Amino acid sequence: MIEVVLESTTVTETLEIVQSLRQRLTIHEDFKYKFIQGGYNWEESESVPHRTIFYFKNPADATWFSLTYL
């Protein structure tokens, strides 16, 4: 699986991207994603930004995604 990280994404932005991907790819077969809620890490005293990690099975799909959304 090829991993592509989108920094500073909100839930709404992530869902819009997923909806767009579902028009050409199959979720859980061609790609998966994980949304990471931002916040504050009190143990490390640092802010944690929102981000979404997309995982692609096919390198060509990962490249297309990177060129489109990064």
Side-chain angles (χ1 to χ4, degrees), residues 15-56:
L15 292 177
E16 288 174 358
I17 292 169
V18 169
Q19 188 65 23
S20 173
L21 286 174
R22 290 181 70 192
Q23 293 177 3
R24 81 185 287 242
L25 302 173
T26 304
I27 195 166
H28 300 299
E29 288 181 23
D30 298 322
F31 77 99
K32 297 178 185 178
Y33 71 99
K34 175 172 57 173
F35 177 77
I36 299 171
Q37 180 69 37
Y40 192 80
N41 183 344
W42 291 99
E43 293 176 4
E44 310 245 342
S45 298
E46 64 184 10
S47 180
V48 178
H50 299 287
R51 65 182 174 164
T52 305
I53 304 172
F54 287 88
Y55 304 93
F56 294 92

